[in-house]
């Protein structure tokens, strides 16, 4: 019976040179908004054509799933009625 386990590799240079914030420090609302805007600038926004394509694909997928679930539901309903009704 194997009782030995592998140790996880230790992280190298993790956290060196970085100050850790104390849990009690809070970010000011102005700094939060600046950080959010900075992150939004990094986002690659889809073009109108890509957005229409993604929306169409999503709606078609949802319609197909609705059809599948409705078909299974209808089949189970008929089966239950045939068995017990």
């Amino acid at each position: 019976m194997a009782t030995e386990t592998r140790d996880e590799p230790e992280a190298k240079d993790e956290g060196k040179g970085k100050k850790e914030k104390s849990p009690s420090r809070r970010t000011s609302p102005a700094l939060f908004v600046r950080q959010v805007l900075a992150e939004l600038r990094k986002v690659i926004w889809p073009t109108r054509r890509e957005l229409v394509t993604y929306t169409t694909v999503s709606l078609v997928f949802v319609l197909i799933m609705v059809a599948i679930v409705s078909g299974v539901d209808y089949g189970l309903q008929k089966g239950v009625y045939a068995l017990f009704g």
Side-chain angles (χ1 to χ4, degrees), residues 18-74:
K18 292 184 180 180
K19 291 183 180 178
E20 289 190 31
K21 287 186 177 181
S22 64
S24 63
R25 287 188 52 149
R26 296 184 61 127
T27 303
S28 70
L31 177 60
F32 175 75
V33 170
R34 281 196 307 265
Q35 289 174 342
V36 168
L37 292 175
E39 288 299 319
L40 285 175
R41 280 188 217 105
K42 296 177 187 178
V43 173
I44 300 173
W45 298 97
T47 63
R48 181 174 296 273
R49 184 180 180 126
E50 290 172 335
L51 187 62
V52 169
T53 302
Y54 298 155
T55 303
T56 304
V57 168
S58 298
L59 289 176
V60 168
F61 175 76
V62 168
L63 290 174
I64 290 171
M65 293 308 296
V66 165
I68 290 171
V69 169
S70 297
V72 169
D73 182 50
Y74 181 76

